[in-house]
Amino acid sequence: MRIFRITFHNQGKVYQLHAEQVSQGDLYGFIEISGLLFNEHTTVVIDPAEERLKDEFAGTSRILVPMHAVIRIDEVEKRGQNMIFDVGDSSNVTPFPSFGPGPEK
């Protein structure tokens, strides 16, 4: 089984997910992610970030992520931990500029 680690921007945060399939989506400019992989909890310790991601993507068969939001896609040997990172001013990750409606003044 091939395992991919996908890192992308979403609403001011950086998501890192593991999936079985990554491909160009049917919609132009989107990456399709399907077969999300989550760790099965066999111990008492539960990661709250992993649980939050599991709840957020519960019942989702595929995710379409805009191509410009993707930071990196890696093919890895083992499934890792899914995470959400806060992007603060001290981070070296800069989101791609978007030209949506500006802040209201």
Side-chain angles (χ1 to χ4, degrees):
M1 177 173 71
R2 297 172 73 184
I3 299 174
F4 295 94
R5 178 177 56 215
I6 306 98
T7 308
F8 62 94
H9 291 282
N10 183 28
Q11 298 178 350
K13 297 184 187 295
V14 175
Y15 283 54
Q16 183 175 7
L17 298 175
H18 291 80
E20 295 175 346
Q21 295 178 354
V22 178
S23 63
Q24 182 175 343
D26 294 335
L27 295 172
Y28 181 74
F30 285 82
I31 301 296
E32 182 177 319
I33 303 168
S34 58
L36 292 177
L37 301 171
F38 293 101
N39 288 331
E40 297 299 322
H41 299 294
T42 57
T43 63
V44 178
V45 179
I46 296 176
D47 183 17
E50 178 105 10
E51 288 299 311
R52 192 167 79 184
L53 283 167
K54 201 173 195 178
D55 291 341
E56 182 174 343
F57 295 113
T60 304
S61 60
R62 66 182 181 153
I63 302 169
L64 295 170
V65 178
M67 196 176 297
H68 67 272
V70 175
I71 299 170
R72 184 177 182 149
I73 300 172
D74 299 314
E75 185 174 356
V76 295
E77 293 181 15
K78 292 193 279 188
R79 175 178 23 193
Q81 186 176 13
N82 297 323
M83 297 183 241
I84 301 175
F85 302 102
D86 288 323
V87 179
D89 294 332
S90 63
S91 175
N92 61 356
V93 177
T94 304
F96 192 81
S98 63
F99 302 101
E104 296 181 25
K105 295 182 181 179

